[in-house]
Amino acid sequence: MAIRPDQDSPRAQAMSLRTLPAIRARCARVHDLAEKGALQYFDYYPGRLDAVIEFCASIMEIPPHGRWRHLDAGRPRIAPLLQVWTDAGIDTIEQCKRLLDLFLVSVLLDAGAGNAWKYTEPGTSEAFARSEGLGVASVHMFTTGLFSGSVEQPCRVDAQGLARITVDKVSEAMQVSVANPMVGLEGRTALLVNLSTALCSNPQIFGQNARPGNMLDFLDAQSKLDGSTRRVHIAALWSVLIEGLSPIWPSRLTLDGVPLGDVWPCPALKGHQTSKDQDKPDNKSSDDVDPDTLVPFHKLTGWITYSLIEPIQRLLGWSFDGVEDLTGLPEYRNGGLLVDFGVLTLRPGVVAPDGSGMPRLPPSHPAVVEWRAMTVIELDRIADGLRKKYNLDRESLTLAQVLESATWKGGREIAKKLRPSTGGPPIEIISDGTVF
C-alpha cells in the first residue's frame, strides 16, 4: 500500500487552512468558478469593476488600514494618550505594548453592532455608530481600567481583568439599552472572557502577567536587525495571533482535532477539484465536510494584524516583511461595494428575502461564503486597478491603504446612498459578534 505524503494528512490540511497564503489560494478557486458561471448563488460581472475603481478613486485618501483611525473618530485620542504616558516617564516599548493591548481588544469588540446602536462619548454630545462607535467606546473602557487587573495601572489589558468581564459590564460600558440595542453583545463578551484563558495558556507569547502587549517581546526574539532597522516577518505576527488566540473563537469546524476558526465549506467547490485535489485521501472534518471545499477567511485575525502592525511601525520603527501575503478583509462593507455596483448579483430565487425585502443570512450560509471569497480576490483587482490608474507600485499604494481609503469607505458611502434609512449592507448578516 502506498504511503501518502504528510502534506495530505488531516493535520497538515488543518494547519494549512490556518495560514495566510491559504486564504487567497482558496478564495481564488471560488473566483475561478465565478468566471465560469459555476457559483451556486451569484452571477459575476467583471466588466462592472471599472465603475467600482472609478468610484473608489473619487473618494480615496491614503492612510493605512487599521483600528487607529476608528479610535480617533471625531478627534485625536491616541496621540494625547501617548503624550500623557510620555509625560509620566513611560518608555516607548511599554507605550507600544499598551497600544497593542488596546488595539487587540478593540478589534475583538468590532464585529457589526447593527443599524440601531450608537455610542455617545462621555462629556460630549457626539454620537458614533458602527466601527467608530465601538472604537471610541473601547478607548474609554480601556482608560477606565475595565480590562485591567491592576488598580495602579488601568491602561492595560490582562487575563485577570478580562476574567472579570461580564455581559452586564460590557452592556453598561457600551450604553446598550432597550432603546439602544446592540447585535452580538453576548458574543463580544465571550471573546473577551475567552481571551483571558488564551493569554494564560500561552505564557511563551503573552508573558507571565498574561497581557497581549507582551507579544512584542516574542516578536522581538523572532526578528533580526538590518542595519538600524529591526525586521520581522508577517508570518511571525500571524502565527502569534492564529495560534495564540485560537482558544477565544467559538467552536465551529475542526479537522483532526484542530479548530479551524473562520473557515467555512463552499459547496460550489464540490466536484470542481483539480486533478491534484482528486488524488488526495478522502479526509473529512468533524462535520463530515470535504476539506477541499473549505475556504478560510480569518477576517478578525486579519483585522487585528493590520491594526497591530501600525503602532509597532510608528512607535518603534520596525519593518514587516511579507505583508503582501495579507489579503483584503472579507466583510460586509468591502463585499457590499461589489453587490451595490452589480459586480456580484444574487441569482433570482436562490435566497428568500426577509420582511424588509433584504436577504438576511448567517455567516455559515454558502451564499455568504461565496460572497466573502469573491470579495478577497476582487479587492486585489480593485487595488491593481487603482495602481494602474495612478501609475503607482505596490509599495506606493498598499492594499491596506486601498482598504481604508477606498473600498471600506466606499462600501459605507454607497450603502448610505442606496439605503439611507439604515446605511446597512445589501445582504444582512446574522451576527453573533465573533465573525463580522
Side-chain angles (χ1 to χ4, degrees), residues 111 252 261-266 295 297 330 360-373 427-436:
R252 297 188 180 108
D262 187 10
V263 178
W264 310 88
C266 181
V295 183
F297 299 112
R360 191 167 184 269
L361 305 170
S364 59
H365 194 285
V368 177
V369 178
E370 289 185 2
W371 184 28
R372 297 180 76 194
I427 300 171
E428 288 284 354
I429 303 299
I430 303 171
S431 173
D432 64 357
T434 67
V435 178
F436 287 88

Side-chain angles (χ1 to χ4, degrees), residues 283-315:
N283 298 318
K284 296 290 184 181
S285 71
S286 60
D287 295 70
D288 200 34
V289 175
D290 182 350
D292 288 324
T293 68
L294 295 176
V295 183
F297 299 112
H298 305 302
K299 180 261 176 178
L300 281 179
T301 304
W303 184 209
I304 294 170
T305 303
Y306 278 118
S307 297
L308 299 191
I309 287 172
E310 188 174 4
I312 296 173
Q313 289 178 325
R314 288 177 62 168
L315 271 67

Side-chain angles (χ1 to χ4, degrees), residues 415-429:
K416 191 65 177 176
K417 180 180 179 180
L418 297 179
R419 292 170 292 280
S421 61
T422 67
I427 300 171
E428 288 284 354
I429 303 299

Side-chain angles (χ1 to χ4, degrees), residues 82-103:
L82 290 170
Q83 188 60 55
V84 168
W85 295 340
T86 298
D87 293 344
I90 306 301
D91 65 48
T92 306
I93 293 291
E94 173 59 23
Q95 289 187 36
C96 188
K97 287 184 176 183
R98 292 182 183 186
L99 288 192
L100 297 183
D101 283 350
L102 168 59
F103 286 18

